[in-house]
Amino acid sequence: MNKRSAKRKNPTGITLEIILIIAAFLFLYPIFYLLLTSFKSPAQINQPLAMPDSLYWGHYEKAIEKVNVLLGLFNTSVISVGSIGLLVIISSMAGYVIARIPRRFFQFLFFFFISGMVIPLQTGMIPIFKMGVALHLIDTRTFMILLYAAGALPMAIFMYSGFTKSIPREIEESAAIDGYGKFRAFWLIIFPLMLPATGTLIMLNIYGIWNDLFGPLLYLKDPSKMTLMSQIVQFKANHQSIDYGPIFALCVMATLPLIVLFIFTQKYMMKGLVAGAIKG
């Protein structure tokens, strides 16, 4: 009992808890401020410390009236889901083959893919734009999906390759004895075992794709294909006003899906990170 009491009253542990609580507050306060300000009346919008007298929905009504939020949400969802799906399919197969076949050619491919992690994004803007024009893919959601998937491919192959090495080869040998081909064995047996790596990969990339502003503004021109983030910027630029209420409302509507996704998937992300650390 004395040892337990000593651990509970450990000043170092108490200090650490206080520091973590303060850090959590600092990280959560911007979200709280964003949500709170979106419900403030126009008279209170410039009072950062004031609490709203009542829930003012006028900012949301004005934002929905001026911006096609549902279309932006649809475009963002299509691009995000398509990019993640393509990324998982290609990188999982590539990482598996590279990890399982010890040939120089595949090792060369591994280092070739990894080299893409050190290439700055700014150096490829003009060539990528010219390539999109030449392939008649510029100003399309398909081009954005291919662009995001290709950008995250080096890290994804690195993750899947390392995770595949922790899977025993005996599982594949047993599947071959049961009559499974390599393709069928991979998708029905090996790929489900990669679920921790897949979950971690999804969570690490979905936020960057969803919140990306630079790509849609550079490669998309059709207003009907704009994402939520680009709609927010264009709303501010087109109206040229200091009425930040609708902007806060748009930011809340763009951020809310990610917050809900994080709440329901954070435990799976942590499992994937822990499994990768132990098995890697």
Side-chain angles (χ1 to χ4, degrees):
M1 294 295 294
N2 294 332
K3 292 182 178 180
R4 293 182 179 179
S5 300
K7 290 182 179 179
R8 292 178 181 176
K9 297 180 180 179
N10 186 2
T12 304
I14 296 175
T15 304
L16 181 60
E17 289 182 5
I18 295 175
I19 294 175
L20 292 177
I21 292 173
I22 296 174
F25 175 78
L26 293 176
F27 279 100
L28 292 176
Y29 178 75
I31 300 176
F32 174 75
Y33 178 77
L34 175 67
L35 182 62
L36 191 68
T37 307
S38 67
F39 289 107
K40 288 183 178 181
S41 63
Q44 292 182 306
I45 198 73
N46 294 322
Q47 301 175 11
L49 300 180
M51 297 294 293
D53 298 330
S54 60
L55 295 181
Y56 179 77
W57 295 93
H59 300 314
Y60 288 90
E61 294 175 359
K62 186 175 181 180
I64 294 175
E65 180 183 353
K66 299 294 183 179
V67 178
N68 195 340
V69 179
L70 292 179
L71 180 61
L73 181 61
F74 172 77
N75 291 331
T76 306
S77 301
V78 169
I79 293 174
S80 300
V81 174
S83 302
I84 295 296
L86 183 63
L87 175 65
V88 169
I89 292 174
I90 295 177
S91 60
S92 61
M93 292 190 295
Y96 170 75
V97 172
I98 289 173
R100 282 293 188 255
I101 302 179
R103 295 180 183 175
R104 291 185 177 180
F105 174 72
F106 292 102
Q107 297 304 315
F108 168 77
L109 284 180
F110 176 74
F111 289 108
F112 175 76
F113 283 122
I114 295 301
S115 64
M117 299 173 62
V118 301
I119 300 177
L121 176 64
Q122 292 77 6
T123 60
M125 291 190 302
I126 296 178
I128 290 174
F129 190 88
K130 289 184 176 180
M131 181 180 64
V133 173
L135 296 175
H136 302 286
L137 289 175
I138 205 71
D139 198 22
T140 62
R141 288 182 287 264
T142 302
F143 186 68
M144 298 304 301
I145 292 174
L146 295 174
L147 187 64
Y148 287 132
L153 199 62
M155 183 63 185
I157 292 178
F158 177 78
M159 288 181 58
Y160 275 118
S161 177
F163 197 88
T164 301
K165 296 177 181 179
S166 65
I167 300 176
R169 292 179 178 267
E170 289 76 8
I171 297 177
E172 301 165 57
E173 295 174 357
S174 300
I177 295 174
D178 292 336
Y180 281 71
K182 291 185 177 181
F183 187 81
R184 185 184 177 191
F186 173 76
W187 287 113
L188 296 181
I189 298 177
I190 303 300
F191 184 75
L193 297 176
M194 296 179 174
L195 185 59
T198 302
T200 304
L201 181 67
I202 292 174
M203 298 307 299
L204 290 178
N205 288 278
I206 188 65
Y207 297 104
I209 297 174
W210 186 281
N211 293 320
D212 183 40
L213 171 64
F214 183 75
L217 289 179
L218 184 62
Y219 302 113
L220 296 178
K221 297 181 180 179
D222 190 350
S224 64
K225 299 175 183 177
M226 288 295 177
T227 60
L228 282 170
M229 295 302 167
S230 57
Q231 282 183 336
I232 295 173
V233 174
Q234 289 190 345
F235 174 82
K236 178 65 174 65
N238 295 336
H239 291 79
Q240 296 181 353
S241 65
I242 57 175
D243 186 9
Y244 288 101
I247 297 177
F248 276 95
L250 286 171
C251 291
V252 170
M253 289 186 282
T255 308
L256 187 60
L258 293 182
I259 296 176
V260 175
L261 178 65
F262 177 77
I263 292 174
F264 286 98
T265 58
Q266 58 175 328
K267 60 179 181 180
Y268 301 104
M269 180 179 178
M270 293 306 299
K271 288 181 179 179
L273 291 174
V274 173
I278 295 175
K279 295 182 180 180

